[in-house]
C-alpha cells in the first residue's frame, strides 16, 4: 500500500549564513526543476502533436539526462532532478493524452513555479537524534522534523517514523513543498498487513519449566509442540557471570578503601545490570518466538499458568524471571490480537493428558511422564503443555 504523510520540516544548521545558503539551494533547485519540467514537456509534447508516431517514439528515447532540453539549467548537485523530471513528464504526458490531449480537449501541461521539489526516497535518511527525528538529505543538508506532542496525530506520526527508521516502511520518491515553511510530502510503501486468521478455539498451551524455560503445545493437535530456550544455554552464561563476580569480589578483599574499593563496587553493580539485561533480552527473544509459533499455528488463544511475582523459585535459576517472561508473552500476544488466559497451575504436571488420572507418582523423573493408570508415556513438559492448553480452569482475575 502506498501512503502519503505530510511532515513539517526545517533546515537544521547552527550557522545562520550557512542555513540561508541551504535554503537558497532548495529554492534554486526548485527553480531549476520548474524550468526542466516545462522544457521537457514541450520537447516531448511537440513531437506528439506533430502526429508523426515515429518522431514521438524517437523523442521519448531521446529524453534522458543528456537531452538537449536540460542544457544550461543549473540543477542542484546530488538531487538527481533530471531523471525525476524525465519520469514525471513521460508519465504526465501519457495521462494527458488519455484524458483529452489526443482529442484536442486539453492543452499541453504547464508546471507552476511553486511545483514541489521532487526527491528520491533513498536520499531521505531518517534517524533519531535524542528525542528528535532528523533527516539527512543531499548536499550535507539536514532537516529536523517538526512535530509536537500536541499535534493531534502525534502518536500515529511517531509510530510511522519509527517504522521508517527500523526499515519496515520504505520511503519512495517524495517531494518538498517550499514556501515560507517547508513541508515534506512523504510517500511510503507500507507492507500489507497479513490477515490474521486463527483456527476457532485452538489454544496454545505454554508450560514454563526448568529444563526448557518454555514448552508449547497446540490443544487440538498435540503433535505440534516446541521447546523454547534451554537451561544449559542459560547456565553457561550464568557460570561466566559468576566467575567474573568472584574475581572482582576477591580483588575487593585486597583493597582497603578509597578509590580502588569504590571502583570495584561499581564494577559489581555494572555486572549485576549486565546480567539483568542479558536475562531480559533472553526473555524478549523467547517471548517473541512463542508468539510467532502461536501465530504460525493459528492459535488465537494462549494459555499460561498463573505464576505469582516471586513464585516458581528454583536455586539453579535464582536470577531467572519467569514473571517477566510471562509478562512479555502477555503484551506481545495482545499486540498481535492473540488473547492470553491464565489457568490454574495446580496438578498440570501430575495429570495424565490422556486419561486425566492425577498422581504425583505419574512423574518418575523431572523429564519423564508415565501414567500409573493407563500407562501413557510422554515427555513431562509436553504432557504439562497439553494439560495447560486444554485446561478450562481459567483464572479470571489476572
Ligand atoms: Zn493416563
Amino acid at each position: 500500500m502506498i501512503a502519503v504523510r505530510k511532515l513539517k520540516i526545517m533546515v537544521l544548521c547552527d550557522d545562520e549564513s550557512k542555513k540561508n545558503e541551504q535554503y537558497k539551494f532548495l529554492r534554486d533547485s526548485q527553480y531549476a526543476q520548474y524550468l526542466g519540467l516545462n522544457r521537457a514537456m514541450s520537447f516531448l509534447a511537440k513531437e506528439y502533436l506533430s502526429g508523426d508516431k515515429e518522431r514521438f517514439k524517437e523523442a521519448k528515447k531521446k529524453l534522458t539526462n543528456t537531452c538537449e532540453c536540460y542544457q544550461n539549467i543549473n540543477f542542484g548537485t546530488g538531487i538527481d532532478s533530471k531523471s525525476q523530471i524525465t519520469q514525471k513528464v513521460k508519465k504526465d504526458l501519457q495521462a494527458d493524452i488519455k484524458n483529452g490531449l489526443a482529442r484536442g480537449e486539453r492543452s499541453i501541461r504547464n508546471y507552476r513555479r511553486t511545483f514541489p521539489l521532487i526527491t528520491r526516497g533513498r536520499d531521505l535518511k531518517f534517524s533519531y537524534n535524542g528525542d528528535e527525528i532528523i533527516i539527512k538529505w543531499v548536499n550535507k543538508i539536514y532537516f529536523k522534523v517538526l512535530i509536537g506532542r500536541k499535534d493531534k496525530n502525534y502518536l500515529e506520526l511517531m509510530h510511522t517514523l519509527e517504522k521508517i527508521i527500523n526499515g519496515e516502511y520504505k520511503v519512495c520518491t517524495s517531494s518538498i513543498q517550499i514556501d515560507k515553511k517547508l513541508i515534506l510530502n512523504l510517500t511510503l510503501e507500507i507492507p500489507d498487513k497479513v490477515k490474521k486468521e486463527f483456527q476457532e478455539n485452538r489454544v496454545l498451551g505454554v508450560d514454563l519449566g526448568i529444563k526448557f524455560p518454555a514448552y508449547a503445545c497446540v490443544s487440538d493437535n498435540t503433535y505440534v509442540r516446541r521447546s523454547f530456550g534451554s537451561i544449559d544455554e542459560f547456565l553457561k552464561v550464568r557460570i561466566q557471570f559468576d566467575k567474573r563476580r568472584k574475581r572482582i569480589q576477591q580483588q575487593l578483599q585486597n583493597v582497603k578503601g578509597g578509590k580502588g574499593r569504590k571502583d570495584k563496587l561499581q564494577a559489581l553493580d555494572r555486572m549485576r545490570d549486565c546480567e539483568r539485561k542479558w536475562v531480559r533480552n533472553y526473555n524478549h527473544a523467547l517471548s517473541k518466538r512463542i508468539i510467532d509459533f502461536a501465530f504460525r499455528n493459528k492459535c488465537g488463544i494462549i494459555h499460561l499458568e498463573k505464576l505469582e511475582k516471586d513464585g516458581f523459585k528454583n536455586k539453579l535459576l535464582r536470577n531467572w524471571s519467569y514473571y517477566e517472561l510471562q509478562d512479555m508473552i502477555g503484551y506481545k500476544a495482545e499486540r498481535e490480537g492473540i488473547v492470553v488466559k491464565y489457568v490454574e497451575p495446580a496438578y498440570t504436571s501430575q495429570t495424565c493428558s490422556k486419561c486425566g488420572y492425577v498422581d504425583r507418582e505419574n512423574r518418575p523423573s523431572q523429564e519423564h511422564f508415565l501414567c500409573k493408570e493407563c500407562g501413557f508415556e510422554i515427555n513431562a513438559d509436553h504432557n504439562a503443555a497439553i494439560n495447560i492448553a486444554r485446561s478450562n480452569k481459567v483464572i479470571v482475575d489476572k
Side-chain angles (χ1 to χ4, degrees):
M1 186 180 79
I2 298 291
V4 179
R5 297 278 180 276
K6 281 185 184 293
L7 289 179
K8 279 185 231 160
I9 56 171
M10 63 177 275
V11 169
L12 189 65
C13 183
D14 291 334
D15 185 329
E16 204 57 34
S17 70
K18 227 181 196 174
K19 194 175 184 172
N20 288 336
E21 254 172 54
Q22 295 182 340
Y23 273 111
K24 185 170 182 299
F25 174 82
L26 276 159
R27 283 192 306 270
D28 289 349
S29 303
Q30 184 187 29
Y31 184 67
Q33 178 188 272
Y34 154 71
L35 298 179
L37 281 168
N38 284 318
R39 282 206 212 159
M41 182 54 97
S42 303
F43 175 82
L44 215 55
K46 189 179 71 202
E47 299 304 323
Y48 171 73
L49 293 174
S50 77
D52 188 329
K53 278 185 181 158
E54 278 307 309
R55 269 173 63 185
F56 181 47
K57 218 168 140 187
E58 205 54 38
K60 278 201 278 191
K61 256 192 226 162
K62 263 169 77 183
L63 185 60
T64 60
N65 285 2
T66 53
C67 181
E68 62 200 54
C69 69
Y70 294 136
Q71 266 174 23
N72 304 322
I73 303 178
N74 277 325
F75 289 107
T77 36
I79 310 185
D80 191 36
S81 285
K82 285 188 239 176
S83 354
Q84 302 301 331
I85 293 169
T86 304
Q87 274 178 37
K88 174 147 184 68
V89 164
K90 282 182 183 168
K91 210 173 116 198
D92 285 349
L93 181 61
Q94 218 52 53
D96 290 349
I97 289 171
K98 228 174 150 185
N99 292 332
L101 187 69
R103 300 185 295 274
E105 293 166 3
R106 182 183 281 262
S107 56
I108 299 168
R109 186 187 289 233
N110 187 25
Y111 295 93
R112 286 178 194 216
R113 175 82 179 75
T114 52
F115 194 86
L117 180 61
I118 307 169
T119 177
R120 279 183 300 206
R122 65 180 146 108
D123 286 336
L124 296 161
K125 294 182 190 82
F126 287 76
S127 63
Y128 286 111
N129 179 28
D131 286 342
E132 289 177 347
I133 288 166
I134 53 170
I135 307 166
K136 185 174 179 239
W137 192 50
V138 300
N139 214 15
K140 292 179 185 148
I141 294 175
Y142 287 83
F143 298 115
K144 178 177 149 185
V145 178
L146 301 168
I147 22 171
R149 278 172 201 282
K150 282 183 186 159
D151 289 346
K152 67 175 194 295
N153 47 3
Y154 171 79
L155 279 178
E156 199 254 321
L157 270 181
M158 286 308 278
H159 180 77
T160 302
L161 290 166
E162 191 188 315
K163 301 233 164 185
I164 294 170
I165 293 169
N166 71 23
E168 235 173 289
Y169 293 175
K170 190 178 160 237
V171 179
C172 308
T173 300
S174 300
S175 66
I176 304 170
Q177 249 168 273
I178 304 168
D179 204 342
K180 275 183 191 135
K181 285 176 181 160
L182 301 180
I183 305 274
L184 174 62
N185 300 310
L186 184 64
T187 308
L188 298 169
E189 192 187 311
I190 297 174
D192 291 319
K193 275 243 154 129
V194 185
K195 206 166 162 260
K196 282 168 192 167
E197 272 179 26
F198 297 123
Q199 191 71 37
E200 212 184 329
N201 297 326
R202 181 175 287 173
V203 180
L204 187 74
V206 179
D207 177 46
L208 302 179
I210 292 172
K211 186 160 187 284
F212 305 111
Y215 198 105
C217 183
V218 174
S219 60
D220 58 351
N221 184 357
T222 57
Y223 286 103
V224 183
R225 81 263 189 194
R226 181 156 304 166
S227 62
F228 297 89
S230 80
I231 179 109
D232 301 332
E233 205 173 7
F234 183 74
L235 289 180
K236 215 169 87 189
V237 178
R238 255 284 306 283
I239 289 164
Q240 283 173 1
F241 275 114
D242 279 349
K243 272 189 193 157
R244 273 157 63 188
R245 194 183 351 263
K246 273 206 186 95
R247 205 164 50 229
I248 299 174
Q249 275 164 345
Q250 270 166 8
Q251 289 167 345
L252 197 58
Q253 286 175 350
N254 299 330
V255 286
K256 285 282 173 286
K259 194 175 176 303
R261 187 176 168 79
K262 208 173 140 195
D263 286 350
K264 291 284 175 276
L265 286 171
Q266 269 175 356
L268 274 180
D269 274 351
R270 267 202 305 277
M271 257 202 30
R272 200 165 23 238
D273 283 350
C274 196
E275 193 172 0
R276 194 61 216 102
K277 234 179 237 165
W278 186 84
V279 172
R280 196 173 166 75
N281 282 338
Y282 197 67
N283 274 336
H284 266 305
L286 290 181
S287 51
K288 182 175 185 305
R289 285 170 53 204
I290 292 166
I291 300 304
D292 287 348
F293 186 72
F295 204 69
R296 269 205 311 282
N297 289 295
K298 301 183 176 175
C299 300
I301 303 168
I302 287 179
H303 276 184
L304 281 172
E305 288 171 290
K306 181 72 191 158
L307 300 177
E308 293 311 315
K309 195 156 192 163
D310 302 317
F312 214 78
K313 278 206 170 147
N314 181 288
K315 252 202 303 205
L316 268 176
L317 301 164
R318 69 173 144 76
N319 40 22
W320 176 255
S321 178
Y322 281 96
Y323 189 77
E324 185 180 70
L325 177 60
Q326 180 183 274
D327 212 35
M328 284 178 177
I329 295 171
Y331 77 76
K332 285 179 188 178
E334 198 176 309
R335 230 164 35 185
E336 297 295 331
I338 297 171
V339 178
V340 171
K341 290 180 181 172
Y342 294 90
V343 301
E344 177 59 49
Y347 310 116
T348 51
S349 59
Q350 297 168 20
T351 306
C352 172
S353 60
K354 196 171 182 191
C355 73
Y357 177 67
V358 185
D359 194 333
R360 182 176 293 205
E361 301 295 310
N362 278 349
R363 204 168 165 183
S365 75
Q366 183 67 34
E367 289 169 37
H368 193 199
F369 186 93
L370 174 62
C371 180
K372 288 268 172 198
E373 184 69 23
C374 73
F376 182 58
E377 222 176 332
I378 188 173
N379 168 294
D381 293 316
H382 188 190
N383 181 65
I386 297 171
N387 286 333
I388 292 166
R390 292 178 174 175
S391 172
N392 52 15
K393 294 177 202 146
V394 174
I395 298 169
V396 183
D397 177 33
K398 277 211 259 181

